[in-house]
């Protein structure tokens, strides 16, 4: 059941049925019901084909996933279209979002890295979004690894367990969409969260600025923040065992264990700290 969406820490993935019935049992199905029903009406053959593929995957041993291969396949098909990993204006996202559209780059070049950090944080603290100032060395490591391993499966803590999201790098942008979204819409699955990284000041000031846009129908700020926090956890880690999960997902997908992602998340403290019941309203 590698493509199950719910993974309680110490149990098998919930939703063990097959086909459409299993999707309806999924606690996150409600958010996507309209799109799923629309696909079934407009393209019944495509809908049935995806249900068949989903059932085939469920026959794999528990704890193993072909998700890496699925994403690679989806990625190849998506390149000409506006799907995951491409710059898109769908869903309210800004196409070709530049740093100049946010702040006066020439003016801030006169300021120190610490002053720029304060300006960036102060500006976004009043907005309902995710943002960060990343040290140049850390971003270099993330970027280098993202070029070798452009996609990964992230786990978002929910009251019911975990919802899985796929993160796909496209240049300095990182696009997220939920796994159930990919299962039902395939290569046309739209991004639900985009992290924009700006390296314009990296060499001169030693910092990389980051902000985000998200689809508020599917994610709130603390959920988007949880996904963003996992990027350095997996891509900038010093622990070889942690980054090995990313390498396995991208290059040895048959060996990938989704429960290892959850275990790493829990061990880091992010899984416990960002449980919905424990999260405050601030970002």
């Amino acid at each position: 059941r590698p493509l199950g969406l719910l993974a309680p820490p110490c149990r098998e993935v919930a939703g063990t049925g097959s086909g459409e019935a299993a999707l309806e049992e999924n606690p996150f199905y409600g958010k996507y019901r309209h799109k799923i029903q629309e696909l079934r009406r407009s393209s019944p053959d495509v809908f049935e084909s995806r249900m068949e593929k989903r059932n085939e995957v469920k026959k794999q041993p528990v704890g193993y996933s072909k998700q890496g291969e699925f994403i690679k396949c989806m990625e190849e098909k998506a390149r000409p279209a506006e799907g995951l990993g491409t710059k898109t204006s769908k869903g309210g996202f800004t196409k070709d979002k530049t740093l100049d559209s946010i702040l006066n780059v020439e003016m801030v070049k006169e300021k120190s890295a610490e002053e720029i950090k304060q300006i960036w944080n102060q500006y976004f603290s009043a907005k309902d979004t995710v943002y960060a100032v990343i040290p140049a060395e850390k971003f270099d490591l993330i970027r280098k690894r993202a070029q070798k391993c452009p996609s990964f499966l992230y786990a978002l803590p929910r009251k019911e367990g975990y919802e899985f999201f796929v993160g796909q790098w496209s240049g300095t942008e990182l696009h997220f969409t939920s796994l159930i979204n990919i299962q039902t819409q395939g290569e046309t699955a739209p991004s639900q969260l985009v992290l924009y990284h700006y390296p314009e000041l990296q060499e001169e000031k030693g910092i990389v600025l980051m902000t985000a846009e998200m689809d508020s129908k599917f994610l709130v700020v603390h959920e988007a923040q949880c996904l963003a926090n996992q990027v350095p956890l997996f891509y900038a880690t010093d622990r070889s065992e942690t980054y090995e999960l990313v390498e396995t997902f991208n290059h040895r997908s048959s060996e990938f264990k989704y429960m290892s992602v959850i275990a790493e998340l829990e061990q880091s403290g992010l899984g416990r700290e960002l449980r919905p019941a424990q999260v405050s309203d601030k970002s």
Side-chain angles (χ1 to χ4, degrees):
R1 279 153 256 166
L3 294 189
L5 271 293
L6 185 64
C10 299
R11 294 185 284 129
E12 290 187 10
V13 177
T16 56
S18 61
E20 187 180 355
L23 277 180
E24 292 178 355
E25 290 171 7
N26 190 295
F28 307 117
Y29 172 79
K31 292 196 299 182
Y32 305 89
R33 181 181 289 109
H34 175 71
K35 288 183 178 179
I36 294 172
Q37 291 176 345
E38 186 178 309
L39 176 66
R40 183 172 53 189
R41 284 195 301 270
S42 61
S43 307
D45 293 342
V46 174
F47 178 82
E48 288 301 324
S49 173
R50 288 180 186 161
M51 289 303 99
E52 288 174 11
K53 288 181 181 178
R54 189 172 185 275
N55 290 335
E56 287 175 10
V57 172
K58 280 180 173 289
K59 295 173 184 177
Q60 300 293 330
V62 173
Y64 286 85
S65 177
K66 293 283 187 179
Q67 184 60 19
E69 293 173 10
F70 181 82
I71 291 299
K72 286 191 180 72
C73 175
M74 182 197 73
E75 202 184 343
E76 289 170 6
K77 294 179 181 177
R79 282 183 186 128
E82 289 191 337
L84 177 67
T86 63
K87 296 178 182 179
T88 171
S89 56
K90 289 183 180 179
F93 292 102
T94 305
K95 188 172 184 179
D96 300 322
K97 187 179 180 72
T98 64
L99 184 58
D100 279 317
S101 68
I102 304 173
L103 85 170
N104 188 322
V105 177
E106 287 305 313
M107 186 176 293
V108 299
K109 281 185 178 179
E110 300 174 3
K111 301 186 179 297
S112 68
E114 187 58 35
E115 287 174 319
I116 297 171
K117 180 178 180 179
Q118 290 176 357
I119 292 170
W120 190 258
N121 289 341
Q122 185 176 357
Y123 177 76
F124 283 105
S125 64
K127 300 183 180 297
D128 204 28
T129 191
V130 173
Y131 57 95
V133 178
I134 306 169
E137 300 79 11
K138 178 180 285 189
F139 185 74
D140 271 339
L141 180 58
I142 292 173
R143 185 92 182 266
K144 180 180 178 182
R145 288 176 167 177
Q147 289 171 346
K148 295 179 180 178
C149 301
S151 59
F152 191 59
L153 189 70
Y154 300 84
L156 182 61
R158 300 291 198 186
K159 289 180 181 178
E160 304 92 342
Y162 287 88
E163 182 176 10
F164 286 112
F165 281 75
V166 175
Q168 174 72 43
W169 285 90
S170 176
T172 56
E173 296 179 6
L174 179 53
H175 294 244
F176 290 88
T177 196
S178 70
L179 196 49
I180 194 172
N181 208 21
I182 293 173
Q183 288 176 317
T184 54
Q185 298 189 63
E187 66 272 11
T188 63
S191 303
Q192 293 168 313
L193 168 67
V194 182
L195 303 184
Y196 301 96
H197 300 84
Y198 299 106
E200 284 90 330
L201 302 172
Q202 184 174 1
E203 282 191 24
E204 192 174 338
K205 303 295 181 180
I207 55 175
V208 173
L209 304 175
M210 184 274 277
T211 188
E213 290 182 348
M214 63 186 180
D215 188 335
S216 59
K217 296 192 298 292
F218 299 99
L219 291 168
V220 295
V221 172
H222 78 258
E223 294 168 342
Q225 185 70 62
C226 178
L227 291 172
N229 287 347
Q230 291 181 57
V231 179
L233 172 66
F234 290 103
Y235 277 86
T237 180
D238 292 329
R239 293 184 73 244
S240 59
E241 304 94 324
T242 303
Y243 179 60
E244 189 177 356
L245 294 177
V246 180
E247 292 181 310
T248 301
F249 182 82
N250 283 269
H251 304 297
R252 303 184 303 279
S253 57
S254 62
E255 301 173 20
F256 181 75
K257 299 181 180 180
Y258 61 84
M259 291 301 290
S260 296
V261 173
I262 294 173
E264 197 67 40
L265 193 59
E266 292 288 346
Q267 182 176 325
S268 71
L270 288 177
R272 295 186 299 274
E273 292 172 8
L274 293 171
R275 282 277 171 197
Q278 300 174 9
V279 174
S280 63
D281 291 334
K282 66 179 180 180
S283 61

